[in-house]
């Protein structure tokens, strides 16, 4: 869905109740199935807040820019190398939803061969770097690829020294139908150890259809993790984060990271201070078993790993 008026009508809201719109350079895009999980007549619904292009996005805020994690200069032939032993492959420039806080909302996908379907330069670079044991498929969203195309990419990775493929995806949450029999067969048959990292910020995203898709992925891969972003007005309170962790484990997913917001231009209104994040993690530790408490982290350009905050 790309029409703001249509979205407002489905939510039984007058268009002006959602405020002035912004972010024209990053237009609204949200699947209908995700909209179906939003509360009707609630302009502050946490799922709606993640996708609605607010006028706040057009404000220029110091410290927030188009390349917040300084990776655009690292991308070459669709490959980004930031961490030892790992390489990130921009498998696709397409995504099923435009999350308003996305740190790659201004990423120049058109300049990356892998995002345009030519993976050979990235594969050759991996062959020339045998110390790289994990390939991280990202984007966009790598599950934007058809099963045939994804299978071709996995087959190319199997012909390198890579031992693990990690797939970062929002698809199982926003379009659970993407987890079909063909995808599950592909994941079950590859020689590569497969890790799926989903992205979910609120328990309301995880309805029965999503739960079924996630449990199927869990059975096919054995390693299913979640990354969230700490977002003002979405999940910046204790009860919401507790409910998210508990619902994730019901769906076969372990909480992995809770990220502080990457300071991308257009997303400053989502920012939550690190001190608030620390207090929330402390509260989660007091209420949940350790395996349900995500690590609070931030991305620091130039560092060799995520920076722990908690």
């Amino acid at each position: 869905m790309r029409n703001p008026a249509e979205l407002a009508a489905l939510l039984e809201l007058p268009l002006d109740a959602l405020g002035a719109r912004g972010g024209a350079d990053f237009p609204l895009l949200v699947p209908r199935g995700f909209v179906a999980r939003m509360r009707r007549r609630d302009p502050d619904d946490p799922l709606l807040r993640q996708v609605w292009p607010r006028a706040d996005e057009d404000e220029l805020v110091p410290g927030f820019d188009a390349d917040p994690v300084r990776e655009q200069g690292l991308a070459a032939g669709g490959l980004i190398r930031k961490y030892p032993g790992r390489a990130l492959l921009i498998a696709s420039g397409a995504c099923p939803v435009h999350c308003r806080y996305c740190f790659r909302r201004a990423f120049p996908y058109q300049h990356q061969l892998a995002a345009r379907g030519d993976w050979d330069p990235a594969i050759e670079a991996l062959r020339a770097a045998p110390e790289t044991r994990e390939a991280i498929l990202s984007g966009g969203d790598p599950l934007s690829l058809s099963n045939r195309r994804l299978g071709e990419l996995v087959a190319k990775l199997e012909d390198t020294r890579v031992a693990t493929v990690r797939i970062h995806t929002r698809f199982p949450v926003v379009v659970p139908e993407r987890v079909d029999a063909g995808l599950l067969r592909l994941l079950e048959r590859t020689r590569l150890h497969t890790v799926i990292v989903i992205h979910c910020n609120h328990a309301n995203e995880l309805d029965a259809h999503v739960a079924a898709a996630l449990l199927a992925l869990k059975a096919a891969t054995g390693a299913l993790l979640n990354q969230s972003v700490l977002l003002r007005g979405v999940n910046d309170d204790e009860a919401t984060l507790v409910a998210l962790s508990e619902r994730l484990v019901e769906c076969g997913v372990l909480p992995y990271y809770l990220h502080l917001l990457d300071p991308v231009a257009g997303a400053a209104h989502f920012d939550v201070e690190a001190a608030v994040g620390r207090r929330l993690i402390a509260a989660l530790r007091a209420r949940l078993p350790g395996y349900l408490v995500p690590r609070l982290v931030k991305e620091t350009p130039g560092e060799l790993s995520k920076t722990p905050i908690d």
Side-chain angles (χ1 to χ4, degrees), residues 137-197:
L137 303 189
S138 187
D141 195 306
L143 293 191
S144 295
L145 301 172
S146 68
N147 291 335
R148 180 184 63 82
R149 291 290 285 153
L150 182 62
E152 291 172 356
L153 176 55
V154 169
K156 290 177 180 290
L157 291 172
E158 290 175 333
D159 195 32
T160 70
R161 296 291 295 276
V162 165
T164 299
V165 60
R166 191 193 327 166
I167 300 174
H168 284 238
T169 178
R170 190 90 157 108
F171 255 102
V173 174
V174 299
V175 187
E177 297 81 6
R178 176 65 187 88
V179 181
D180 58 15
L183 176 62
L184 296 173
R185 280 195 302 271
L186 188 163
L187 297 174
E188 289 169 343
R189 293 175 180 176
T190 178
R191 73 156 180 87
L192 301 172
H193 177 60
T194 306
V195 178
I196 305 290
V197 182

Side-chain angles (χ1 to χ4, degrees), residues 13 20 25 34 42 47 52 62 76 94 122 140 149 152 158-159 217-218 224 232 275 284 286 300:
L13 284 166
D25 58 338
F34 194 74
D42 183 0
L47 278 59
W52 184 257
R149 291 290 285 153
E152 291 172 356
E158 290 175 333
D159 195 32
L217 280 174
K218 171 74 172 177
L224 195 54
R232 186 192 305 169
L284 265 60
T300 303

Side-chain angles (χ1 to χ4, degrees), residues 29-304:
L29 176 63
V30 57
R32 288 178 176 271
F34 194 74
V35 174
R37 294 168 234 162
M38 298 175 185
R39 294 190 294 254
R40 298 304 185 259
R41 298 179 293 281
D42 183 0
D44 294 319
D45 175 80
L47 278 59
L48 175 61
R49 286 181 66 86
Q50 294 181 56
V51 302
W52 184 257
R54 293 161 52 111
D56 296 336
E57 296 185 26
D58 295 333
E59 295 181 12
L60 298 178
V61 179
F64 285 76
D65 60 44
D67 187 16
V69 299
R70 302 295 179 265
E71 68 176 13
Q72 293 182 18
L74 301 176
L79 207 63
I80 298 175
R81 299 191 210 184
K82 294 191 286 187
Y83 305 137
R86 290 159 282 171
L88 187 147
L89 195 154
I90 300 292
S92 172
C95 199
V97 61
H98 283 174
C99 300
R100 310 313 302 177
Y101 49 86
C102 180
F103 70 97
R104 288 201 186 117
R105 56 184 288 169
F107 188 85
Y109 292 107
Q110 69 276 13
H111 300 314
Q112 297 304 315
L113 294 175
R116 302 204 307 267
D118 182 1
W119 299 305
D120 287 343
I123 297 299
E124 288 306 315
L126 289 174
R127 289 196 182 106
E131 74 279 4
T132 302
R133 303 294 287 159
E134 181 177 34
I136 303 167
L137 303 189
S138 187
D141 195 306
L143 293 191
S144 295
L145 301 172
S146 68
N147 291 335
R148 180 184 63 82
R149 291 290 285 153
L150 182 62
E152 291 172 356
L153 176 55
V154 169
K156 290 177 180 290
L157 291 172
E158 290 175 333
D159 195 32
T160 70
R161 296 291 295 276
V162 165
T164 299
V165 60
R166 191 193 327 166
I167 300 174
H168 284 238
T169 178
R170 190 90 157 108
F171 255 102
V173 174
V174 299
V175 187
E177 297 81 6
R178 176 65 187 88
V179 181
D180 58 15
L183 176 62
L184 296 173
R185 280 195 302 271
L186 188 163
L187 297 174
E188 289 169 343
R189 293 175 180 176
T190 178
R191 73 156 180 87
L192 301 172
H193 177 60
T194 306
V195 178
I196 305 290
V197 182
I198 65 162
H199 175 192
C200 178
N201 297 312
H202 196 282
N204 289 1
E205 298 176 44
L206 302 171
D207 67 5
H209 296 293
V210 176
L214 293 174
L215 289 168
L217 280 174
K218 171 74 172 177
T221 65
L224 195 54
L225 307 173
N226 180 64
Q227 293 190 113
S228 301
V229 180
L230 186 59
L231 300 168
R232 186 192 305 169
V234 174
N235 58 9
D236 57 335
D237 67 273
E238 176 185 340
T240 297
L241 291 174
V242 167
L244 174 59
S245 283
E246 291 178 336
R247 181 58 177 152
L248 282 168
V249 78
E250 290 174 355
C251 299
V253 185
L254 283 180
Y256 174 35
Y257 282 149
L258 176 61
H259 286 265
L260 294 182
L261 181 75
D262 291 318
V264 64
H269 56 289
F270 285 116
D271 197 29
V272 178
E273 293 181 359
V276 174
R278 291 190 188 97
R279 290 197 296 271
L280 289 168
I281 291 295
L284 265 60
R285 287 199 182 109
R287 292 184 56 177
L288 295 171
Y291 64 88
L292 289 187
V293 180
R295 295 187 68 192
L296 181 67
V297 297
K298 70 175 180 179
E299 180 91 8
T300 303
E303 293 295 323
L304 296 180

